[in-house]
Amino acid sequence: MGDLHVVLIQNYTYPSLLAPVGKNSLFTRITHLRLEDPMGLAPFQLVVDMPRLTHLAIPCWYDENLDEIPSRISGTSVKVFVVVLKYLDESECQVFEDWIRESRKENEWIYAVGQQDLLEEEWNAEVRGVTTIWERAAAHTRLLMNRA
């Protein structure tokens, strides 16, 4: 069985699609997970059931519990966590950018990336070999850190 790179467009689909069913569930094959809907802290409940998950990207949500993110991912297999800067106004975006700059001092696995308007177009571009969200996140975060 190979690795799975999964993009979930609507959050209501993931529980029924990915529900853990023993050691042969889809959960055990997922290495890269990209969620389109902001779901608060719900994605972190999934991470513990995905032993091979190394890359997680979720759209940001304006939440006062940002500092909980590192502790929720610490101890899991996640090596790259991407905050997709979407659904935010300018002041909220600034809060996230400041948080990312501060968090990366101790957690270099936290990244940020902007998002194209249509996830389908973004996904199709990645399939054709254009830069992936993971590569774009590394580049975006370098720029963000240089603006500090």
Side-chain angles (χ1 to χ4, degrees), residues 54-133:
T54 58
H55 292 66
L56 174 63
I58 62 173
C60 52
W61 63 100
Y62 193 69
D63 192 301
E64 295 175 7
N65 299 318
L66 292 174
D67 293 331
E68 290 184 28
I69 291 173
S71 65
R72 289 180 177 269
I73 292 182
S74 178
T76 70
S77 56
V78 174
K79 305 291 184 239
V80 176
F81 173 71
V82 176
V83 176
V84 182
L85 299 175
K86 184 176 181 180
Y87 306 116
L88 299 176
D89 64 30
E90 191 173 320
S91 66
E92 291 170 336
C93 195
Q94 186 62 52
V95 169
F96 270 89
E97 289 178 352
D98 292 345
W99 175 80
I100 289 164
R101 279 190 207 92
E102 187 63 30
S103 295
R104 283 188 56 84
K105 291 176 183 175
E106 294 182 24
N107 304 293
E108 292 185 356
W109 45 266
I110 295 176
Y111 295 85
V113 69
Q115 178 171 321
Q116 297 175 357
D117 291 333
L118 296 175
L119 181 62
E120 183 178 350
E121 289 176 10
E122 183 178 320
W123 184 82
N124 285 329
E126 288 184 22
V127 169
R128 290 189 310 273
V130 178
T131 57
T132 67
I133 186 172

Side-chain angles (χ1 to χ4, degrees), residues 4-76:
L4 286 178
H5 293 217
V6 177
V7 176
L8 293 176
I9 295 173
Q10 294 177 321
N11 66 9
Y12 68 84
T13 62
Y14 79 82
S16 59
L17 175 67
L18 301 174
V21 182
K23 64 180 181 177
N24 294 322
S25 75
L26 288 178
F27 270 77
T28 62
R29 295 179 51 205
I30 295 173
T31 58
H32 293 63
L33 179 61
R34 164 75 187 280
L35 302 175
E36 171 60 7
D37 282 351
M39 300 186 299
L41 297 176
F44 302 109
Q45 297 164 0
L46 292 174
V47 170
V48 296
D49 292 321
M50 298 180 192
R52 295 180 57 212
L53 184 68
T54 58
H55 292 66
L56 174 63
I58 62 173
C60 52
W61 63 100
Y62 193 69
D63 192 301
E64 295 175 7
N65 299 318
L66 292 174
D67 293 331
E68 290 184 28
I69 291 173
S71 65
R72 289 180 177 269
I73 292 182
S74 178
T76 70

Side-chain angles (χ1 to χ4, degrees), residues 131-144:
T131 57
T132 67
I133 186 172
W134 318 109
E135 295 163 329
R136 289 186 298 108
H140 183 91
T141 302
R142 272 192 304 274
L143 291 173
L144 183 66

